[in-house]
Amino acid sequence: MLRLMKKLSLNSQIMLALVLAVVVGYLLQDHTVVAEAYIRPLGTIFLNLLKFIVVPLVILSIASGILSMEDVTKVGKLGISSLFYFMTTTLFAVTLGLLIPTLMKGWLPRIEIPAAEVGEVPHVTFMDQLVSFFPGNIIEPIATTQMMQVIVIAVFFGVAIVHVGEKGKAARDIILSFNEVVARILSYIMALAPLGVFCMLTPVVAANGPKVLGSYAVLIGADYFCFILHALLIYASAVYLLGKIHPMRFFKKMTPAMLFAFSSDSSVATLPYTIECTEKLGVKRDLGSFVLSLGATINMDGVAIYLGVTSVFIATCCGIDLTMQQYLALALSATVASVGTPGIPGGSLALMAMVFASAGIPIEGGAIAAGIDRLVDMGRTTMSITGDASCAVVMQRFINKK
């Protein structure tokens, strides 16, 4: 068995692990305690290994990338261009997330909303988000994996080392050396990916089973339909027209990262895989590390679609006919919430309460979505990391052209 696994590519190994996880999870539906007690812990260990390496990977990769560019003005231009790309795709995602379920109103069921607490409604403004990007100290962001603050720290150190010139040579050599060491540690961890995928996904299938999928089929179907449509319309067009890469080649090379994102539902944990896959698409490691780290923090197209779809779905189920003003409120709040997802305790469910409140939708409706949040989260995470990769491909093309 081990010899057969070694002969398979990483892509094939992860796909096999996904299939086995579904089969074993289905067989363990009446024994979920076994899946939770003996299988999930191994998946947690693997996820912890990825989380432990992500922060040094981001800091050293971004700093090394800046050192290799030498001209700090390139870093600023790359960051601004990437932000513009991410905001544009997020606006498309929100629009799609609101439009598709609106067109499906005739097929949406009427249900009773159970009274349940979704979480405290966070009040997040643009300025709150801006302030949260900058760390108050250097230890806390690294200890708590606040990725945007980690990126800011790495950028400051990288730019400063370039500016001090010859006096910063020792610091430069240390960063470049540690970057190679971290890359080797990463290769060890990635070899465990198939086992990690199996152990993370099996308990999810065992706990939910086909009954949950059936009862929430409409909402799940609407979410995944929008995910696929957005990928085919926006990402495929971007990599083909702007990145000059055929969409089929793009999605094929990105498959390992997409499969891992689907099973782990963590953009940050998937970051090492995304970097490796984009390298196969011609994206240089220093550029990819910068753009993908930024994207893993602020580019949440999957969340934007999910919030839009769920808002219209719950409003329709409650018999609420949304006005244009409510649609605009949903679009704005979903965009802000999608950018704020990584930094807010409670994740998408707490943010959903904020989005619902902006349009007068019963906050208790979040309890409906809570039942399938984990299942949909796998799809929206896959969407987000694919969007990050499309941006990296486009940015690399522009730099090559210049």
Side-chain angles (χ1 to χ4, degrees):
M1 185 67 179
L2 290 175
R3 289 181 180 179
L4 176 62
M5 291 292 288
K6 288 180 179 179
K7 291 180 180 180
L8 296 175
S9 64
L10 180 63
N11 186 354
S12 301
Q13 290 180 28
I14 294 177
M15 181 65 77
L16 180 60
L18 281 170
V19 174
L20 289 175
V22 171
V23 173
V24 175
Y26 181 79
L27 296 175
L28 291 176
Q29 283 185 94
D30 297 328
H31 306 280
T32 54
V33 175
V34 174
E36 290 291 335
Y38 298 103
I39 298 178
R40 184 183 290 277
L42 298 177
T44 303
I45 290 173
F46 176 69
L47 203 57
N48 286 344
L49 287 174
L50 278 173
K51 289 178 180 179
F52 123 77
I53 202 63
V54 160
V55 171
L57 174 70
V58 170
I59 291 178
L60 295 169
S61 295
I62 290 179
S64 299
I66 294 172
L67 295 177
S68 66
M69 290 182 186
E70 294 184 350
D71 184 1
V72 293
T73 59
K74 291 182 181 179
V75 180
K77 292 177 181 178
L78 182 62
I80 293 172
S81 300
S82 300
L83 284 172
F84 179 77
Y85 182 93
F86 290 144
M87 291 307 298
T88 302
T89 59
T90 299
L91 289 174
F92 275 111
V94 170
T95 303
L96 189 66
L98 294 173
L99 178 62
I100 296 300
T102 300
L103 297 176
M104 294 173 57
K105 276 187 176 182
W107 290 274
L108 297 180
R110 291 293 298 273
I111 55 178
E112 293 183 5
I113 302 298
E117 291 187 10
V118 180
E120 185 180 351
V121 180
H123 299 285
V124 182
T125 65
F126 173 77
M127 294 309 296
D128 290 334
Q129 285 295 92
L130 183 62
V131 171
S132 70
F133 289 166
F134 296 89
N137 64 68
I138 196 171
I139 302 300
E140 185 179 355
I142 296 174
T144 57
T145 322
Q146 295 292 325
M147 293 309 299
M148 193 64 220
Q149 296 185 6
V150 170
I151 292 172
V152 170
I153 292 170
V155 169
F156 269 107
F157 272 91
V159 171
I161 292 172
V162 172
H163 273 157
V164 297
E166 187 63 27
K167 292 182 179 180
K169 187 177 183 303
R172 178 193 182 103
D173 292 340
I174 291 173
I175 287 177
L176 294 177
S177 177
F178 269 103
N179 191 40
E180 293 297 323
V181 173
V182 167
R184 180 53 60 92
I185 295 174
L186 178 60
S187 68
Y188 301 153
I189 298 172
M190 290 182 68
L192 300 173
L195 177 62
V197 168
F198 173 82
C199 294
M200 287 186 293
L201 193 57
T202 299
V204 175
V205 178
N208 292 283
K211 292 181 180 179
V212 173
L213 287 173
S215 61
Y216 289 106
V218 176
L219 182 53
I220 293 174
D223 280 316
Y224 276 89
F225 176 74
C226 290
F227 293 157
I228 295 171
L229 193 60
H230 184 71
L232 295 177
L233 290 178
I234 305 303
Y235 299 151
S237 299
V239 298
Y240 182 70
L241 298 175
L242 302 177
K244 302 303 179 183
I245 291 179
H246 195 282
M248 288 297 293
R249 178 170 177 258
F250 171 76
F251 288 117
K252 182 179 180 180
K253 294 294 184 183
M254 283 301 301
T255 299
M258 293 168 70
L259 290 175
F260 184 80
F262 187 81
S263 61
S264 69
D265 74 63
S266 172
S267 298
V268 174
T270 312
L271 186 58
Y273 295 89
T274 315
I275 293 174
E276 183 173 278
C277 290
T278 52
E279 280 190 279
K280 295 177 182 178
L281 289 165
V283 178
K284 294 182 179 179
R285 192 175 187 86
D286 54 357
L287 182 145
S289 299
F290 180 82
V291 173
L292 297 172
S293 300
L294 187 64
T297 307
I298 67 171
N299 180 44
M300 300 291 167
D301 287 357
V303 175
I305 290 175
Y306 170 70
L307 292 173
V309 170
T310 307
S311 298
V312 177
F313 179 85
I314 297 299
T316 304
C317 291
C318 295
I320 299 174
D321 292 323
L322 297 172
T323 64
M324 183 56 66
Q325 184 177 358
Q326 287 174 308
Y327 274 115
L328 291 174
L330 286 172
L332 178 61
S333 58
T335 301
V336 173
S338 66
V339 175
T341 300
I344 296 177
S348 60
L349 292 180
L351 291 169
M352 192 185 300
M354 179 188 76
V355 175
F356 283 6
S358 70
I361 300 171
I363 295 176
E364 290 80 9
I368 299 296
I372 58 165
D373 184 71
R374 178 66 173 81
L375 299 175
V376 178
D377 195 21
M378 295 186 290
R380 63 181 181 241
T381 302
T382 305
M383 275 292 304
S384 297
I385 67 103
T386 308
D388 300 342
S390 69
C391 180
V393 167
V394 171
M395 292 303 116
Q396 184 66 67
R397 168 67 180 175
F398 284 162
I399 286 181
N400 292 343
K401 192 175 181 181
K402 289 180 180 180

